Amino acid sequence: MKLLLINPNTSLPMTRSIAEAASAVAAPGTEIVARCPTFGPVSIEGHLDDAFGAAGVAEQAMVAAREGFDATVIACFGDPGLDAAREALPGPVLGIAEAAFRAASIVATGFSVVTTMTRTCVIAERLVSRYGCESTCRGIHGTDIEVLSLESCDEATLARIEAASRVALARDRSEAIVLGCAGMAALCEELQRRLDVPVIDGLAVAVKLAEALSALRLRTAKRGDYAPPLSKRWTGWAAGFGRDVTA
Amino acid sequence: MKLLLINPNTSLPMTRSIAEAASAVAAPGTEIVARCPTFGPVSIEGHLDDAFGAAGVAEQAMVAAREGFDATVIACFGDPGLDAAREALPGPVLGIAEAAFRAASIVATGFSVVTTMTRTCVIAERLVSRYGCESTCRGIHGTDIEVLSLESCDEATLARIEAASRVALARDRSEAIVLGCAGMAALCEELQRRLDVPVIDGLAVAVKLAEALSALRLRTAKRGDYAPPLSKRWTGWAAGFGRDVTA
Amino acid sequence: MKLLLINPNTSLPMTRSIAEAASAVAAPGTEIVARCPTFGPVSIEGHLDDAFGAAGVAEQAMVAAREGFDATVIACFGDPGLDAAREALPGPVLGIAEAAFRAASIVATGFSVVTTMTRTCVIAERLVSRYGCESTCRGIHGTDIEVLSLESCDEATLARIEAASRVALARDRSEAIVLGCAGMAALCEELQRRLDVPVIDGLAVAVKLAEALSALRLRTAKRGDYAPPLSKRWTGWAAGFGRDVTA
Amino acid sequence: MKLLLINPNTSLPMTRSIAEAASAVAAPGTEIVARCPTFGPVSIEGHLDDAFGAAGVAEQAMVAAREGFDATVIACFGDPGLDAAREALPGPVLGIAEAAFRAASIVATGFSVVTTMTRTCVIAERLVSRYGCESTCRGIHGTDIEVLSLESCDEATLARIEAASRVALARDRSEAIVLGCAGMAALCEELQRRLDVPVIDGLAVAVKLAEALSALRLRTAKRGDYAPPLSKRWTGWAAGFGRDVTA
Amino acid sequence: MKLLLINPNTSLPMTRSIAEAASAVAAPGTEIVARCPTFGPVSIEGHLDDAFGAAGVAEQAMVAAREGFDATVIACFGDPGLDAAREALPGPVLGIAEAAFRAASIVATGFSVVTTMTRTCVIAERLVSRYGCESTCRGIHGTDIEVLSLESCDEATLARIEAASRVALARDRSEAIVLGCAGMAALCEELQRRLDVPVIDGLAVAVKLAEALSALRLRTAKRGDYAPPLSKRWTGWAAGFGRDVTA
Amino acid sequence: MKLLLINPNTSLPMTRSIAEAASAVAAPGTEIVARCPTFGPVSIEGHLDDAFGAAGVAEQAMVAAREGFDATVIACFGDPGLDAAREALPGPVLGIAEAAFRAASIVATGFSVVTTMTRTCVIAERLVSRYGCESTCRGIHGTDIEVLSLESCDEATLARIEAASRVALARDRSEAIVLGCAGMAALCEELQRRLDVPVIDGLAVAVKLAEALSALRLRTAKRGDYAPPLSKRWTGWAAGFGRDVTA
């Protein structure tokens, strides 16, 4: 299968790291194509970043709409542009927060999220509500680690995430940790070894779910809310999109 | 006061109509500046449009951040880019769906939304959930009228909206109608006359709420979730934004 | 416009203070008439007080029903008698808790309530639920300051409210404070200066919302739940009301 | 045991009928004292009536506070004044809606409410929410029968209630009927015979629950929210209450 | 009346203790028959135990279906097999958690549960959700006391439960304690004396509710979800049940 | 990987059919072992059946606990015994309702369930609540087709399911169908062809999710709620289990 991996953060090194992490868990027959938007902030750490990240995902989804991808993964924990990508693309689209929440609720009755900037906690809270995890997600914990600093993750950073995880497990009476950033994928295995509870990297789960849905030939419903976008005029630098969409 | 009115739809005629509707209800001392994004679809009628509309609102909010606006209104019923604009701007920011829901729940125990394309109903449903209106919003009704066709609204269009409203009032046991599109502002008065229940145009309510909060000098909390965006590098056509944001 | 301000607490000094606070934020053309019930407890600090306060509001609403008020504000944080007043009066009726919650959720993603007696917290909790603010109201904090002691508010009282607010902001991860008593209106400005977050006095917001709805000529729906009261016999000291209601 | 039955409706014939219905199900050792407020509307059929009914219940609760009642039942489906009576009285206080909902959820997975005026449905809806019955109460159906007309209930009235019940059972996929008015108590048995599903009269259930809690010596918690009312000055015709409350 | 008491724990001494506790609160005319399943774990302290306890309750319900019991009580706080027993039996069936929650919400606005093994808290949490007590149950506290150790309850055990209750009352701002195990029935009175708040033993409440519903001749709805089980073949050691069920 | 497939229905032909359907979607390296309980009803079509099915799943989970299965799927739409199996087994355990709901909410914004007996709808409703799908599951539709009749599914049966699906899609405004019985697996492809919307067979999804989680080495958290069962005495025909569990 051919899997499109969209990193809403426009950092190329981060996009490459994420592509490697995704490849490490992909099945032999899975070809991964990783892209990031042509515009926007290098990292998504707030509402403004998120709005641009979502449009960037939408842009990449429109560009890829006729390239025959079997499935798509959006590699940013806020799942920006998820609905737009589902509307634009025929194959299934997975957000890594949604994927992580689903896996966590299968292996534990309650989980905690350990994420980057505290100011993004409210974004995670709304995803918890959207995905119906109010009773399974028992806490969201910011560490105020910047997203891009995860590109070269050292022991000090790992130790901060470990410490936040231990506080979360104790305070929330939870039994699993969800990593709240695609950039944390590389830490997952070591963290799980240290904490001795399931530590869930949504990127890995999303890749495997994409493979699973693709194998079952389950595709996005094209009746109703996710029907192909209506044909209309687009303006400014996006003037070319109107044609793409309706092709 | 100086009020910024952002129309996420990039149609200039629609932006002008909305500005006129806003001016019609504004207080004498209110100066309205209406703008639309420099890019994106001419009308917002789905998730893909919405993602671009949100980024367009974010763009206009960043551009306006140092222009001294007292308050901002986002003139599209999906309230796209609301959080981004609240993050970027110091003054209060109002979405017209939020404003309409608030007014409706003051004048009635239950209301129905009558909107444009049926495929946007799920967007309204999520706003109902975000704004905590699950028990007051008793139904959302699509009419499949295109947003831009509202620019030159004739009796046939009005009759369709009236018919949908009558069905909604009867079926939902509701007592007020919320108009689900900024483009319907011009119909509000006539519709209220015909239906004899409160008919709420969120644009008008948002303008008055913006004046009210501005008079009380209530501004967006700049601690936590809506703190000013972090300084970082932006790429592509948005490369200039990084500087703007951190200014 | 002509604004009726009903103070459910039957303390005349408090009613005068509230009228002054309301006048301080009212627009030039707004005439404020402040009244309190002819019977009941001098202050509302529990369920029993609240039941009488609600009937007192209902009494004043019936008395005022034909006096041509454009809008009404109920100046007690429990919003007692809100539905009764909406039923009795043609113009819009605002509770100060509802008004405060609405304003708070526009300027912040989460707020805390700081109120008087701890025993009234459950009343505030139910309003949070009624108004759909379960995810935006992050905590309700009693200070055990008596309502009437707020009439002559000194630095010690202010310091207690400030301290409770600081605890609330830290513990609830909230970004704004809602004052849980109409009697706290006079402290709002100083408290906001000290805390450097939005501090919201529901009384002020309610007055401005009343002006806003009145300017838009939005009135209470008189179909269904808020239809005028049915004509019937009343007994005891309230025997005169039957006629009033149906007049 | 000594049971206080407060009818918030000030109709004496209705109070007598309710007392008889309660006596018919009471245990041999239960002494029932039925009272109604000294003021207020003869029947509770809307928000304004409800506000006065609640104050009337509060009045009767204060009057009875030192008379040694073992338990109290409030005989009106909106449960007006429930919290006030719990605050004023030492023994347990039951509302008939709460009692009916509890019994219904024991004998069925889903029930429908059939009530009097359609305009009171929203009051029932809020009780459904307060008592956590959103998933067990599958519908609320008004019949627009006036409360007082139930005093002399004929076959035509019974037939209307039966018809509404049949519609409810079919449309709501429910398995039991809750009667939404204390005045319907006399119809319960015949209706159950005709419909062949459990038909629940909250008055009867409340009397038996009162006996049950009384036998277990479970009394209202007097710590926190239901602590005895604070001593304070009362004004107007209620001036005498301050003393009563604090005795 | 004839009351069936099913103890899902297969410990005979515990079954006898529970029968005694139930008899102590039963009315003179109530005959109590206490039974436990013929198979399964001696105590219910986790999901696996709970699954067998539920089947054990179902077994005893089928066996008893034609013995003419007026009502049934399931004496284990997880209410295992509640729906199965309601399906199998004509008379009302009460779980002790449901009964305790109902009584607690009548005598207090908020309660805390103090239970045995911490690992069973999630089972209690789901009951809180099923019974709609999310806003009244303010906390669930494990003590890690084993169920069977309650059979010979000494001062040390009582002291641990008392300590946990004091923590719960303070931390949860609650006003009543619900005992989270049928085996704690004997401690109820002494604990209430020490804590001076209502302490609720679900077993006692369930017995009195069973008597109450039985007196009112309210029986389980046999239309829809609780209709008698379908006739079908059963296998293995349960091969005899098919006949029983359909008799 | 080695996958345990437990069919809670004790019908051997049905167990074989389910094994075949699972094998048809399994990856080349997946070895499927299908078992059913040694006791209980041949089909699960109500609460009593469900209680036995859950114990049967628990039995098979205990038996299999030391056989080294990598993951387990419970092949009955009510997900009976899910928590018990998660407690007993080290590898991840998936219910087919949970799996189906997860897949459906990825490919559509709203789905409808089409199931067998109407009396099982309430079981599905509770799963919808447990899995947080209240806003994505838009309806549950019984067809009153018996589970075992699906073993030899003819055109008439298919036509009934198709008809119910068409009604569901229209009435619920939904965009995907979830099949509410493992026995419907064989119809999935043909139904999807006829309806032209995603039709989701939870069995197939659960098998692929089991493979996915297994590939990621995600296993059930063994801290807290799903810790291995406590060692204790078991009685009756289950007397042997105590040893098994604690081995």
Side-chain angles (χ1 to χ4, degrees), chain D residues 25 83 86 92-94 98 102-103 105-109 130-132 135 138 169-170 173-175 189 192 197-200 204-205 208-209 212-213 215-221 223-226, chain E residues 25 83 86 92-94 98 102-103 105-109 130-132 135 138 169-170 173-175 189 192 197-200 204-205 208-209 212-213 215-221 223-226:
Chain D
V25 298
D83 290 306
R86 284 181 178 163
V93 180
L94 291 112
E98 184 174 17
R102 295 328 183 196
S105 59
I106 289 169
V107 299
T109 63
R130 168 169 175 180
Y131 299 138
S135 59
R138 297 200 183 135
L169 291 168
R173 203 172 58 75
S174 68
E175 305 140 19
E189 199 170 329
Q192 181 160 305
V197 297
V199 176
I200 292 155
V205 179
K208 301 311 283 182
L209 289 186
L213 295 183
L216 295 172
R217 275 172 308 228
L218 273 173
R219 297 167 80 77
T220 300
R223 162 196 171 110
D225 300 320
Y226 289 143
Chain E
V25 300
D83 291 306
R86 285 180 177 162
V93 181
L94 291 113
E98 184 173 17
R102 294 327 181 198
S105 59
I106 290 169
V107 297
T109 62
R130 169 170 173 180
Y131 299 137
S135 60
R138 298 199 183 138
L169 290 168
R173 202 172 58 76
S174 68
E175 304 140 19
E189 199 170 330
Q192 181 161 306
V197 297
V199 176
I200 293 154
V205 179
K208 301 311 285 182
L209 289 186
L213 295 183
L216 296 171
R217 275 172 307 225
L218 273 173
R219 299 167 78 78
T220 300
R223 164 196 169 108
D225 301 319
Y226 291 144

Side-chain angles (χ1 to χ4, degrees), chain B:
Chain B
M1 70 165 294
K2 213 171 131 194
L3 174 65
L4 174 64
L5 187 66
I6 307 177
N7 178 18
N9 307 275
T10 62
S11 154
L12 289 177
M14 189 193 180
T15 305
R16 273 192 295 269
S17 302
I18 287 175
E20 278 162 33
S23 298
V25 299
T30 300
E31 176 197 350
I32 292 178
V33 177
R35 293 176 183 167
C36 65
T38 63
F39 64 94
V42 284
S43 60
I44 313 281
E45 294 169 316
H47 298 292
L48 194 76
D49 298 346
D50 191 76
F52 270 84
V57 168
E59 174 212 36
Q60 290 302 311
M62 281 190 283
V63 165
R66 281 182 313 254
E67 294 184 48
F69 286 101
D70 293 293
T72 299
V73 166
I74 300 173
C76 172
F77 198 73
D79 294 356
L82 183 63
D83 290 305
R86 285 180 177 162
E87 192 178 279
L89 291 160
V93 181
L94 291 112
I96 66 171
E98 184 174 17
F101 291 172
R102 294 331 182 195
S105 59
I106 289 169
V107 299
T109 63
F111 61 86
S112 300
V113 177
V114 174
T115 188
T116 53
M117 306 305 287
T118 304
R119 62 185 293 157
T120 66
C121 287
V122 78
I123 296 178
E125 267 175 38
R126 291 193 186 147
L127 293 179
V128 164
S129 166
R130 168 170 175 179
Y131 299 138
C133 298
E134 287 92 341
S135 60
T136 41
C137 177
R138 299 200 180 135
I140 301 171
H141 303 257
T143 57
D144 289 322
I145 295 170
E146 293 195 5
V147 168
L148 292 190
S149 77
L150 291 166
E151 284 176 14
S152 57
C153 185
D154 56 8
E155 171 57 30
T157 302
L158 178 56
R160 276 169 72 185
I161 296 172
E162 182 189 348
S165 299
R166 291 193 187 280
V167 168
L169 290 168
R171 196 174 293 167
D172 302 346
R173 202 172 57 77
S174 67
E175 305 140 18
I177 295 293
V178 163
L179 298 177
C181 180
M184 292 179 180
L187 317 173
C188 184
E189 199 168 331
E190 172 62 12
L191 205 56
Q192 180 161 305
R193 205 189 53 73
R194 295 190 186 183
L195 296 171
D196 199 25
V197 297
V199 176
I200 293 155
D201 162 35
L203 177 63
V205 179
V207 168
K208 300 312 282 183
L209 288 185
E211 291 175 344
L213 296 183
S214 176
L216 295 171
R217 275 172 308 227
L218 273 172
R219 297 168 78 77
T220 300
K222 284 299 164 186
R223 164 196 170 110
D225 301 319
Y226 290 143
L230 297 174
S231 170
K232 62 185 57 167
R233 194 164 56 82
W234 287 59
T235 65
W237 69 262
F241 284 130
R243 215 176 32 234
D244 271 41
V245 169
T246 60

Side-chain angles (χ1 to χ4, degrees), chain A residues 77 96-97 100-101 104 111-115 176-180 198-202:
Chain A
F77 198 73
I96 67 171
F101 290 172
F111 61 85
S112 299
V113 176
V114 174
T115 187
I177 295 293
V178 163
L179 297 177
V199 176
I200 292 155
D201 162 36

Side-chain angles (χ1 to χ4, degrees), chain E residues 40-67:
Chain E
V42 284
S43 60
I44 312 282
E45 296 170 313
H47 298 292
L48 193 76
D49 299 346
D50 191 77
F52 270 83
V57 166
E59 175 212 36
Q60 289 302 312
M62 281 191 283
V63 166
R66 281 181 314 253
E67 294 184 48

Side-chain angles (χ1 to χ4, degrees), chain A residues 119-204:
Chain A
R119 64 186 290 157
T120 66
C121 287
V122 77
I123 297 178
E125 267 176 37
R126 292 196 185 143
L127 292 180
V128 164
S129 166
R130 169 169 173 180
Y131 299 138
C133 298
E134 287 92 342
S135 59
T136 42
C137 176
R138 296 198 182 136
I140 301 171
H141 303 257
T143 57
D144 288 324
I145 295 170
E146 293 194 5
V147 167
L148 291 190
S149 77
L150 290 167
E151 284 177 12
S152 58
C153 186
D154 55 10
E155 171 58 31
T157 303
L158 178 56
R160 277 170 70 185
I161 296 172
E162 182 190 348
S165 299
R166 290 193 188 279
V167 168
L169 290 168
R171 197 174 292 166
D172 302 346
R173 202 172 57 74
S174 69
E175 305 141 17
I177 295 293
V178 163
L179 297 177
C181 180
M184 292 180 180
L187 316 173
C188 183
E189 198 169 331
E190 173 62 12
L191 205 57
Q192 181 160 305
R193 205 189 53 73
R194 293 189 188 184
L195 296 172
D196 199 26
V197 297
V199 176
I200 292 155
D201 162 36
L203 177 63

Side-chain angles (χ1 to χ4, degrees), chain F residues 133-144:
Chain F
C133 298
E134 286 92 342
S135 60
T136 41
C137 177
R138 297 199 182 136
I140 301 171
H141 303 256
T143 57
D144 288 324

